[in-house]
Amino acid sequence: MNLAAAKPNQAEVVYVVDDDEAVRDSLTWLLESNGYVVRCHASAERFLQSLQSTDKSTISCAILDVRMPGMSGLELQERLISENLPMPVAFITGHGDVSMAVSTMKRGAVDFIEKPFKENDLCGLVDRMLAKARVDYSQASQRKITHSLLSKLTGRERQVLERIVAGRLNKQIADDLGISIKTVEAHRANIMEKLNVNTVADLLRLALSDPQPN
C-alpha cells in the first residue's frame, strides 16, 4: 500500500480521544503525515462537547482509548450509540483483553488493537473506518430523502400505497377502502408522481427502503 499516494478527502476527520498526551501527539503525527485530518481530545466528555458544534455532514471516525479518567472509551461508545451518532470507532489500548475486545466488537467497533501498533495497520484501520462512514452517511442521506418524499402523500394515498406494497390489486384496494377503481387509479398516479418513480418496481423499492412508520 502506497500511503503517500492514498490521500484521504480533506473534509474527512479522524478523532483521537486519549488522556495520554504522548499518545495523542504520536497518533496525530503519524496520521497527519499520511494525509489525514486529525482532531484530538483528552477526554470523552470534551469530545462529546465538541460534537455539539460539529457539522453533522462531516465524514468522520474515532480512535478511542479504553481506559480514561471519567467516562471510559467503552462508555463513550455506548453514548455515541444512544445519541444516534453512529460514528465508526476503534479502540487502541495497552490494557486490552479478549473479553473487552469481544464486548466492543459486539457493539459495532470496527477493530481493537493493542499498543504498540504498526503504521500500516493503523492507516489501514482508519481507511476502513472512513469507508464505512461514507457508506453510512450515504445510506442515512438516502433514507432522509425517501422519508421526505413519502411525507408528501396524503392519508388516503398512504393507505393505497400500503396495499400496493402488500400486493393488492386495484379492485381489491377499492373494496378495502370503499372507493371506486378509478379513484384507486388516480391515487396510484398521484403517488407515482409525488415519489418521482415510473414503475411499480421502483415504487416498491422506495417504499420498502423507508424504516420509519408511514
Side-chain angles (χ1 to χ4, degrees), residues 119-181:
E119 179 175 338
N120 282 0
D121 291 342
L122 179 65
C123 290
L125 171 58
V126 169
D127 284 341
R128 295 203 309 277
M129 288 197 291
L130 289 175
K132 184 177 187 303
R134 291 182 208 112
V135 172
D136 290 346
Y137 179 75
S138 176
Q139 292 176 342
S141 297
Q142 187 56 53
R143 285 195 298 269
K144 187 179 296 184
I145 292 171
T146 297
H147 191 65
S148 176
L149 288 173
L150 290 171
S151 70
K152 296 178 180 179
L153 302 182
T154 65
R156 179 63 87 186
E157 288 167 349
R158 288 172 182 271
Q159 291 176 329
V160 172
L161 177 59
E162 287 171 2
R163 285 161 176 79
I164 294 173
V165 172
R168 304 286 283 171
L169 301 176
N170 283 357
K171 183 179 185 308
Q172 293 172 315
I173 296 173
D175 291 341
D176 290 344
L177 301 178
I179 56 179
S180 70
I181 294 178

Side-chain angles (χ1 to χ4, degrees), residues 2-15:
N2 185 348
L3 297 176
K7 296 294 184 182
N9 187 322
Q10 291 301 300
E12 299 173 349
V13 177
V14 181
Y15 293 105

